[in-house]
Amino acid sequence: ILIVDPDSATLQVLEELVRSAGYPVTVSQSQAEGFRLVRDLGVDLLLLSADLNDIQCCDALAEVKGSSATSGTRVILLTNGTGAERARGLELGADEVLSFPWEPVELLARIRVQLRQKRDLDEMREKTRIADEGREVAQTAFQALAVTEKMTRDAFSLERALKIGVSVLFAIAILIAGIFLLYSRRADKEARRAYGVIAQLERSTHRQEQLVADARSARADLQQSDVLRQKQQLQHQSEELRQKISGAEGEEVSALRKQLQETNNRLQRIETESQTAEDVIRAYAPSVCLLHVSVVFLDHSSRRPLRYAGITGNGEPLKDSDGNPVYTLEGRAPEVRADFFGTGFIVGDGMILTNHHVVQPWWKNDELGSVLSQGLDPGIGEMIAYFPDSSAGVSVSIAQISEEADLAVVKGDLAALKRPTLKTDTRKEAAVSGEPLISLGYATGINAMLARAGEEAVDEIAKTTGGDADRVVNELVRRKLIRPLVTQGHIGDVSADKIVYDAQTTSGSSGGPLINKDGEVIGVTFAVVRGFGGSNFGVPIRYAQPLLKR
């Protein structure tokens, strides 16, 4: 379900409501981006808040319902207005129209109805397709039968035994042809499904324009989590309160002084914690690496890698009439690869600790899992660790995977780097609710590092690399921009297998160390809960002990 609403507050309410009903959700505040996602992602239902007086919105809605590629998407329109406005929305192509204010129970019921109708239509289309294929098979069988009858007539003058033998041979030939036809159709259908999933994964990878946009978005996120910026804002707020106190009277003075005290307390805490963060950066950041995992796709039967059908003069893969890359198992064109990023840190001689889902991105990943079920096997094409201030990456491979937690150890030749091993506290009492905590990781992968490079540098990197992930990372290495993001927070809760904390982070931080006030690793980030106050989860470091012993 895709939710498009320009109002962030309403968008959040809608997202929480739909997620609470158990539906996978994608959100966007931009109508243009929303309609692009409908085309690219194969959305089942579009929940659109819009003003029908917006001509651009009306045209785009009509385009969605008028295109053969997106006509199957059900559209529920949320708008202001009376029955006339709702009628206009239906005429433009919306399957359902609700006016504000809408009731949550009614909205969920309408969503269920639209999804049921879509499912029924999809089943009808599938039955029609199967019937068409059956008709084609029947035509083939009739043609084969006609050939058999003709050859039988020609052989009528032969001995009876020879006639029977010829008939049996032709019957076997027809049976083999039928089996081959059915098998080839099934294999072709599975391949098309797998290629469609891979095409969606490719759309999510960086290209030149997308690289610049993602870097700008990451820059805004960094400004919110940057300790120095927070300190400057609090200093400015403290100065404003002092000026207001000098001109205030009576009870207002008391209230302003209370605010000033609270602001100064926060400022003092941030100054203390920022000093701790600086110490952690100096001591531990050199041993925290960016892990770049390239996933290839192998044919389940032949084990041949999936490749592009060809490459154009400007380095782009050949595409079909719908704009999708054309894939093949033949030839010598470049292999199709999907790029994933995570974090790891040194825990021993040549050993790096990270998450299971980082080193095997298809583990508990629905998109890659669907590729696995369609005749292609994901596999690691290459895994490279990049450390701060290093001149090149280090090739690593999987050494151990935990059976108890989302943890894994990779190994490589790290001797030349001469980086320290991070200290760990494996006691159950290591994590205490309410205690401060520091998180290190490469949040948003390469986007955060590009964000810190500045607008001009990002444009230059995007042009020289074309958005290719390998070339972008190599350019970041050359410019000495590989550095983990350090964020601060506090431990919210501790259970037997989880540490809940509020230090700001996001995807890409998976596998990063969580460090307590004593400078010891107490956990490893493994999950981020978006839209839930920045709450994140870490695996207690004691779960890594069996891996390190082996």
Side-chain angles (χ1 to χ4, degrees), residues 7 10 16 49 71 95 100 144 151 209 255 260 271 277 350 401 428 438 456 485 491:
D7 182 74
T10 308
E16 292 177 353
S49 292
S71 60
D95 300 289
F100 293 104
M151 297 189 73
E209 299 82 2
L260 178 61
E271 288 176 342
I401 292 180
K428 289 185 177 181
I438 297 174
E456 185 176 342
L485 180 68
I491 300 173

Side-chain angles (χ1 to χ4, degrees), residues 319-347:
K319 297 181 179 180
D320 59 20
S321 58
D322 295 327
N324 297 316
V326 182
Y327 305 121
T328 180
L329 295 173
E330 311 294 339
R332 296 180 176 274
E335 295 178 353
V336 177
R337 293 195 173 191
D339 297 295
F340 298 88
F341 294 92
T343 304
F345 58 97
I346 297 177
V347 290

Side-chain angles (χ1 to χ4, degrees), residues 10-212:
T10 308
L11 183 64
Q12 183 178 1
V13 171
L14 286 169
E15 181 183 6
E16 292 177 353
L17 174 64
V18 178
R19 283 192 189 279
S20 68
Y23 296 112
V25 177
T26 302
V27 299
S28 174
Q29 288 186 258
S30 166
Q31 289 183 358
E33 181 189 32
F35 290 123
R36 178 181 61 79
L37 291 173
V38 171
R39 292 194 303 270
D40 294 346
L41 299 183
V43 174
D44 290 319
L45 186 144
L46 170 62
L47 191 59
L48 173 66
S49 292
D51 183 359
L52 292 179
N53 293 321
D54 185 351
I55 297 178
Q56 182 179 4
C57 168
C58 296
D59 291 343
L61 180 59
E63 180 183 348
V64 167
K65 300 302 289 188
S67 171
S68 59
T70 58
S71 60
T73 299
R74 311 297 289 183
V75 179
I76 297 180
L77 187 65
L78 304 178
T79 185
N80 293 309
T82 61
E85 296 294 327
R86 292 193 294 274
R88 187 183 175 201
L90 292 171
E91 290 174 353
L92 287 170
D95 300 289
E96 185 65 78
V97 183
L98 289 178
S99 298
F100 293 104
W102 40 264
E103 291 293 330
V105 174
E106 182 185 9
L107 178 57
L108 288 177
R110 306 257 182 196
I111 289 174
R112 288 192 292 270
V113 169
Q114 292 301 322
L115 290 177
R116 281 199 299 269
Q117 292 179 354
K118 174 175 172 56
R119 182 192 61 199
D120 294 339
L121 287 172
D122 289 345
E123 289 177 353
M124 185 178 297
R125 292 191 185 98
E126 180 65 12
K127 291 178 180 178
T128 303
R129 184 191 62 77
I130 293 173
D132 290 339
E133 289 184 357
R135 179 177 53 80
E136 292 176 7
V137 172
Q139 288 177 347
T140 303
F142 280 125
Q143 291 171 0
L145 181 61
V147 172
T148 302
E149 289 177 351
K150 182 179 182 301
M151 297 189 73
T152 302
R153 286 194 303 269
D154 293 341
F156 189 78
S157 60
L158 297 176
E159 294 292 334
R160 182 178 179 82
L162 183 60
K163 292 179 181 179
I164 295 174
V166 171
S167 299
V168 171
L169 287 175
F170 276 110
I172 294 173
I174 292 173
L175 179 62
I176 294 175
I179 293 173
F180 176 77
L181 180 64
L182 292 175
Y183 176 79
S184 61
R185 286 184 179 277
R186 184 180 296 110
D188 182 61
K189 181 173 66 174
E190 290 179 350
R192 286 199 302 271
R193 288 178 180 174
Y195 294 171
V197 173
I198 294 171
Q200 289 183 7
L201 289 173
E202 279 204 308
R203 294 189 190 103
S204 66
T205 59
H206 291 83
R207 291 293 179 260
Q208 183 172 333
E209 299 82 2
Q210 189 63 39
L211 193 70
V212 176

Side-chain angles (χ1 to χ4, degrees), residues 17 57 230 244 277 316 353 448 451:
L17 174 64
C57 168
Q230 292 179 13
K244 289 181 180 179
E316 292 289 327
L353 184 63

Side-chain angles (χ1 to χ4, degrees), residues 61 131 243 308 371 433 440 460:
L61 180 59
Q243 293 177 1
Y308 295 108
V371 172
S433 179
L440 279 78
E460 183 179 343

Side-chain angles (χ1 to χ4, degrees), residues 7 48 96 130 141 158 193 243 274 280 293 299 367 421 451 456 474 478 482 497 505:
D7 182 74
L48 173 66
E96 185 65 78
I130 293 173
L158 297 176
R193 288 178 180 174
Q243 293 177 1
S274 63
V280 168
V293 182
D299 180 67
E367 286 186 331
T421 297
E456 185 176 342
N474 288 331
R478 188 182 70 81
I482 301 288
D497 60 346
T505 188

